[in-house]
Amino acid sequence: MANHKSALKRIRRNESVRLRNRYQHKTTRNAIKKLRNETDKKKAEALLPSVVSMIDKLAKRNIIHGNKAANLKSKLTQQVAGL
């Protein structure tokens, strides 16, 4: 167990950051699933910018890799275009 005050603070901070990252990642995954299951082109086009924004934020905060974000955005854009 950590003995220094700063180490104890860091442990608390790491846990709160981990929970925040997990929440944001799960929320984005649910939004992606919702977009993939959408069959109406207008609704999908309206939903796409918000999902792309969520993916960009995850990549910017290093929750997901930048290449994974690019691949996700590409696939989602292709899918919406093909509706």
Side-chain angles (χ1 to χ4, degrees):
M1 188 61 196
N3 293 321
H4 294 282
K5 195 173 189 180
S6 61
L8 294 170
K9 288 180 188 177
R10 193 70 203 161
I11 289 169
R12 288 196 306 267
R13 171 114 178 93
N14 285 344
E15 181 62 16
S16 63
V17 168
R18 184 185 73 83
L19 292 173
R20 186 182 321 124
N21 288 345
R22 195 173 80 173
Y23 171 77
Q24 290 170 346
H25 196 184
K26 186 65 176 176
T27 305
T28 304
R29 286 199 308 261
N30 287 336
I32 289 169
K33 286 177 193 169
K34 184 178 177 185
L35 179 59
R36 283 190 177 136
N37 292 331
E38 191 62 59
T39 55
D40 184 29
K41 188 172 175 84
K42 292 221 185 253
K43 288 182 183 176
E45 286 175 342
L47 196 59
L48 184 64
S50 64
V51 173
V52 167
S53 174
M54 292 168 85
I55 292 170
D56 284 337
K57 285 177 187 171
L58 289 183
K60 184 177 83 173
R61 296 177 182 137
N62 289 321
I63 299 172
I64 61 172
H65 196 275
N67 290 350
K68 180 183 173 90
N71 289 337
L72 280 171
K73 292 190 297 183
S74 174
K75 292 284 186 187
L76 290 173
T77 306
Q78 283 178 349
Q79 194 228 337
V80 169
L83 287 178

